[in-house]
Amino acid sequence: GAGVSQSPSNKVTEKGKDVELRCDPISGHTALYWYRQSLGQGLEFLIYFQGNSAPDKSGLPSDRFSAERTGGSVSTLTIQRTQQEDSAVYLCASSAGQGMVSYNSPLHFGNGTRLTVT
Amino acid sequence: EDQVTQSPEALRLQEGESSSLNCSYTVSGLRGLFWYRQDPGKGPEFLFTLYSAGEEKEKERLKATLTKKESFLHITAPKPEDSATYLCAVQAGGNYQLIWGAGTKLIIKP
């Protein structure tokens, strides 16, 4: 079956431009997470969706970051006025669980979007 | 503050040389500890969940164990295809968020 799909796989953009990153979760998974991964650091939580609502946006680094999810499926992470410090791999994960990750509803990750801001 | 620390940062072994990776944690009310494997250019892949001290899980050459302060991922007679970064994450209290370690990069030389 299809796993979590992210696009684009790589994105190079100039400082100050806006970018959109897309995530297609596993069909039927109600929970969706965005993480950021920088070299040598643990995954940084950005935002969590349960269905179309985002009960927790606390991880978004600044108001330049926003995310939405439509139809309980596809999610888009938008970064406005990109800065060099935004360069990282952005990972999306989905889960069948109702928020609480567990052995029978682990996170399934996509392969990420590598964002480079020049 | 909840924290997860993995050691070593990198580990180089010869094929067949067994060893262990460590994940130590300080959290309030452990709900679960998770091990993931990440290959270059890929997203993390789920391996194990451990819930309580004394619990063990096995999968092929990997065995994960849990105490009240840390978890070990033991790798027995590793093969080159076991080379990857191994990530540990903890879920604490009633929070759905996972707290992630920085990972251990494991390299198995033939």
Side-chain angles (χ1 to χ4, degrees), chain A residues 51-110:
Chain A
N52 287 339
S53 64
D56 188 349
K57 304 179 181 179
S58 64
L60 294 177
S62 74
D63 59 9
R64 295 186 296 104
F65 288 71
S66 63
E68 65 176 12
R69 189 179 185 193
T70 55
S73 181
V74 171
S75 177
T76 302
L77 177 68
T78 301
I79 309 173
Q80 296 179 310
R81 304 182 302 280
T82 52
Q83 304 294 312
Q84 288 186 330
E85 60 263 28
D86 299 334
S87 297
V89 175
Y90 290 81
L91 290 165
C92 173
S94 70
S95 167
Q98 296 295 311
M100 292 296 287
V101 183
S102 68
Y103 76 94
N104 60 352
S105 58
L107 294 183
H108 297 266
F109 284 86

Side-chain angles (χ1 to χ4, degrees), chain A residues 25-40:
Chain A
I26 293 173
S27 178
H29 279 192
T30 56
L32 186 147
Y33 302 76
W34 283 98
Y35 286 93
R36 181 165 68 177
Q37 187 174 34
S38 301
L39 198 63

Side-chain angles (χ1 to χ4, degrees), chain B residues 61-77:
Chain B
R61 294 176 292 283
L62 298 176
K63 183 169 79 171
T65 62
L66 181 66
T67 73
K68 289 185 178 181
K69 294 182 181 180
E70 58 194 347
S71 176
F72 291 95
L73 185 65
H74 307 275
I75 183 160
T76 303

Side-chain angles (χ1 to χ4, degrees), chain B residues 8-102:
Chain B
E9 288 186 12
L11 181 61
R12 289 171 172 78
L13 301 172
Q14 288 293 137
E15 183 173 1
E17 181 184 1
S18 301
S19 188
S20 297
L21 314 183
N22 178 267
C23 171
S24 63
Y25 60 91
T26 52
V27 298
S28 305
L30 179 72
R31 299 282 303 201
L33 185 143
F34 305 84
W35 282 98
Y36 283 78
R37 168 191 171 129
Q38 187 173 25
D39 293 296
K42 304 288 186 182
E45 176 186 350
F46 173 72
L47 292 174
F48 303 111
T49 309
L50 301 166
Y51 289 105
S52 57
E55 191 175 0
E56 298 184 352
K57 294 276 179 68
E58 286 190 65
K59 180 180 180 180
E60 296 180 355
R61 294 176 292 283
L62 298 176
K63 183 169 79 171
T65 62
L66 181 66
T67 73
K68 289 185 178 181
K69 294 182 181 180
E70 58 194 347
S71 176
F72 291 95
L73 185 65
H74 307 275
I75 183 160
T76 303
K79 299 181 178 182
E81 54 261 41
D82 295 322
S83 298
T85 295
Y86 290 85
L87 301 171
C88 167
V90 165
Q91 190 170 37
N95 200 339
Y96 51 81
Q97 288 189 32
L98 298 181
I99 304 163
W100 293 82

